[in-house]
Amino acid sequence: RALQCNMDLPPRQLDYDTPLHLEEPATLEECETRRPLPVHCIVNFEVHEDNGQNKFKMVTVASIPEVWAMTLPRSSFIVGYGPRGLPPYDYSLKNVARTTPVSAILEDINVWLAQLNVNIDSTQLQLAMPSIPDDFETMMRVPPSATAEEADLFNRYNEVVITTFPLGGLDGADLRRRIGFASQGAGGRTRNVSHNDTLNNILACDHSKHTRSSLLDEISPRQWKTLRTHLEKVEQQPDAICHNCGMLCYPCESTKIKIKCDGHEDLRAWRVFSPMIQNY
């Protein structure tokens, strides 16, 4: 019962020197508030004396192993523009020890990326983490000389970003914040640039001047035309009104529907919404 927890909560943080004693939850409500253990931790069962009363009890103890496996999802890698800068698989490094330096991890990642034909400048490869746990506004480069224990990679591996881009930028926007903006949709409530506006601006450019690094030079004139036609359809507004049901709908090739009636007064929506329809 000591391992019962709420798996929807973030994992617990373990100390490198002191094992964590796990008490059995007293109630079901307590289980709902208990955070799970980290994936690669060690769980042992020890026999402890019960308050010097010559009685013994079994105690569940969780601790950080001397060596563990570290897995980074592909989304943790920001090493280029577009799909070419994103590895196709998650990265995993076995036998990470407490004394493993960050430089050794970056060296292994560099070899792995080269095997996947992800072309990067290896001299710019860096491991970044928030200086304050879970506060991505404070993203900073971790010194290559730091060890896995000093960087707390066991507890905070899910905050790691592998990148070749310099940290910081305009208006103090850090790397992780830019990633968040780029993942937002095109809705009007986001702070991201409207996708349609961006595409309209690109369509208005001289396509012969696109640089190779932008990947836009690979789009043919026919594809640009098809893209422009598609965008015009996407940006159509629902400016047609059905006089029978009163719905505002998108225009189509056949905007007239034949129904049995002698005039507008036979259409229920016209009788209710006629002032609004006429004003529109």
Side-chain angles (χ1 to χ4, degrees), residues 162-222:
I162 305 297
T163 183
T164 55
F165 291 97
L167 299 179
L170 298 177
D171 301 325
D174 61 274
L175 179 65
R176 178 65 80 168
R177 194 191 311 170
R178 293 187 183 187
I179 297 172
F181 283 171
S183 65
Q184 289 180 350
R189 290 180 295 177
T190 68
R191 290 178 290 176
N192 195 16
V193 178
S194 169
H195 294 184
N196 289 3
D197 288 346
T198 301
L199 186 53
N200 275 316
N201 292 335
I202 295 176
L203 288 171
C205 294
D206 183 355
H207 304 311
S208 63
K209 296 182 179 180
H210 291 310
T211 60
R212 184 170 182 79
S213 61
S214 69
L215 305 182
L216 297 176
D217 62 309
E218 301 178 2
I219 302 178
S220 66
R222 184 175 181 178

Side-chain angles (χ1 to χ4, degrees), residues 239-248 264 267-280:
D239 56 2
I241 298 178
C242 176
H243 292 178
N244 189 46
C245 65
M247 288 185 60
L248 191 65
H264 284 109
L267 304 175
R268 61 177 180 272
W270 177 265
R271 294 194 299 268
V272 176
F273 299 110
S274 57
M276 183 186 69
I277 294 174
Q278 291 170 338
N279 290 334
Y280 184 83

Side-chain angles (χ1 to χ4, degrees), residues 62-123:
S63 60
I64 296 177
E66 293 296 328
V67 177
W68 67 89
M70 185 177 71
T71 301
L72 300 177
R74 60 194 298 263
S75 59
S76 297
F77 290 80
I78 311 296
V79 294
Y81 294 100
R84 295 180 181 178
L86 192 66
Y89 312 109
D90 294 344
Y91 168 79
S92 181
L93 177 61
K94 298 180 180 179
N95 300 325
V96 176
R98 303 181 181 202
T99 57
T100 300
V102 170
S103 59
I105 298 174
L106 291 175
E107 183 178 348
D108 187 79
I109 290 175
N110 187 40
V111 173
W112 177 70
L113 291 174
Q115 293 173 345
L116 296 176
N117 295 322
V118 179
N119 297 321
I120 63 169
D121 183 356
S122 59
T123 62

Side-chain angles (χ1 to χ4, degrees), residues 216-234:
L216 297 176
D217 62 309
E218 301 178 2
I219 302 178
S220 66
R222 184 175 181 178
Q223 290 175 316
W224 281 117
K225 183 178 180 180
T226 301
L227 188 59
R228 182 178 290 104
T229 302
H230 174 71
L231 185 61
E232 290 175 354
K233 293 181 179 180
V234 170

